């Protein structure tokens, strides 16, 4: 059992003994609730432990695709985050008109395959390939 557990400590607030923070917890398996818990090393108060999934990193193919789209579109990336293994992003280009589309969002898969929606008056445009990038995002 002990071999499965990494010796990890977490700092935080313990509502029982250190409500202002600074308490040290270690992770342990709670056999009553069958879940990982944070146990205060000072007073042994137990708190639920939420597993934090590490932020995934974009693959080189994803970065390349994003660069290609942003080079064609111009403007700036507003937000980007990893959703699972997909890179999600949104961007805006105030230089463009709302009729041609001044904002877009979409996802890029691990291999660089993308699906981007260009928001514009008169109907959004779905861009899924190089031709679409040239047709819809080409800077004038
Ligand atoms: Zn405590």
């Amino acid at each position: 059992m002990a071999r499965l557990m990494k010796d990890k400590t977490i700092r935080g607030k313990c509502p029982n003994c250190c409500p202002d923070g600074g308490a040290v917890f270690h992770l342990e398996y709670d056999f009553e609730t069958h879940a990982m818990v944070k146990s205060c090393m000072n007073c042994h108060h137990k708190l639920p432990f939420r597993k934090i999934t590490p932020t995934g990193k974009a693959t080189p193919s994803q970065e390349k695709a994003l660069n290609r789209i942003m080079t064609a579109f111009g403007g700036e990336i507003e937000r980007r985050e990893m959703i699972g293994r997909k890179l999600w992003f949104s961007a805006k280009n105030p230089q463009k008109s709302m009729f041609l589309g001044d904002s877009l969002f979409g996802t890029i898969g691990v291999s660089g395959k993308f699906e981007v929606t260009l928001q514009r008056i008169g109907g959004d445009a779905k861009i899924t390939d190089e031709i679409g990038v040239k047709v819809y995002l080409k800077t004038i």
Side-chain angles (χ1 to χ4, degrees):
M1 197 65 207
R3 280 175 54 129
L4 294 170
M5 303 293 165
K6 277 189 183 157
D7 187 26
K8 268 189 183 162
T9 55
I10 300 163
R11 286 181 176 275
K13 294 172 186 177
C14 176
N16 199 37
C17 71
C18 295
D20 296 325
V24 181
F25 297 87
H26 71 263
L27 284 179
E28 62 180 32
Y29 189 78
D30 188 344
F31 290 97
E32 277 174 39
T33 59
H34 300 285
M36 291 300 288
V37 292
K38 295 193 298 186
S39 174
C40 178
M41 288 173 92
N42 184 43
C43 71
H44 304 290
H45 184 75
K46 285 184 174 68
L47 291 172
F49 171 67
R50 267 187 310 161
K51 201 176 172 196
I52 300 149
T53 39
T55 316
K57 262 191 145 180
T59 65
S61 301
Q62 285 173 319
E63 293 291 355
K64 231 160 96 184
L66 182 60
N67 271 339
R68 216 159 48 218
I69 293 161
M70 287 311 293
T71 302
F73 183 60
E76 274 179 33
I77 295 167
E78 285 192 304
R79 278 180 65 192
R80 59 172 284 172
E81 56 193 81
M82 297 301 290
I83 298 173
R85 298 180 72 195
K86 276 189 175 173
L87 170 63
W88 183 92
F89 75 102
S90 68
K92 217 175 177 77
N93 187 348
Q95 309 278 72
K96 293 195 181 234
S97 75
M98 287 196 306
F99 289 97
L100 288 172
D102 62 356
S103 63
L104 56 80
F105 64 91
T107 54
I108 303 170
V110 179
S111 63
K113 208 171 147 57
F114 53 84
E115 210 181 301
V116 173
T117 302
L118 179 68
Q119 292 181 300
R120 53 181 190 168
I121 291 173
D124 294 346
K126 289 265 178 212
I127 305 161
T128 55
D129 54 29
E130 210 59 45
I131 297 158
V133 169
K134 286 199 180 105
V135 170
Y136 294 111
L137 302 183
K138 191 180 68 181
T139 38
I140 302 153

